[in-house]
Amino acid sequence: MADIASITFSAISVTQKASVAVYKFVRGCKEACADLAGIARQLTELTLVLGLIKDGSDIASENLPKGLQDQVKTILGSCEALVKDIETIVASCNRRTGPLRWTLVEKDKVKERSISLEAFKCALSLALDTVNLSVALLSFLRRSRN
């Protein structure tokens, strides 16, 4: 299985691609702006969390138990798949009938996925906090022994 850094890098790339698709669609379909504002915000926040995880992936590999590392990898993979799905849905609305398709079918699909996206973002934030606490605790224990 790939390491946390490479999975995170891939997830960042997919998230940025989805953000571009959202902004492109909103520019062409102003009616979708209010619908997609939350998704755009979630994708931006997710990109930030993923960047922090990528930056700390070496520390995570050293300080997290293998079981927790595997869970983080699974969450990252599932999150990446969800973001790809959102990007595909939004990109499918860039055709001539896109605004109608968005209103009748795709808007509800994206709203459903928004709930999962928020859950993944929270889970990854929690994993990041766990790594930071683990590093702080190890640092404290090392200093107290000396």
Side-chain angles (χ1 to χ4, degrees), residues 63-65 68 72 123-136:
N63 295 297
L64 285 181
L68 187 53
V72 170
L124 291 169
S125 292
L126 184 59
L128 182 61
D129 289 344
T130 302
V131 169
N132 290 336
L133 286 172
S134 176
V135 169

Side-chain angles (χ1 to χ4, degrees), residues 24-34 36 93 98-100 102-103:
K24 182 179 177 183
F25 178 60
V26 168
R27 280 195 310 272
C29 179
K30 304 291 186 222
E31 298 83 14
C33 185
L36 289 171
C93 295
L100 181 61
W102 171 257
T103 303

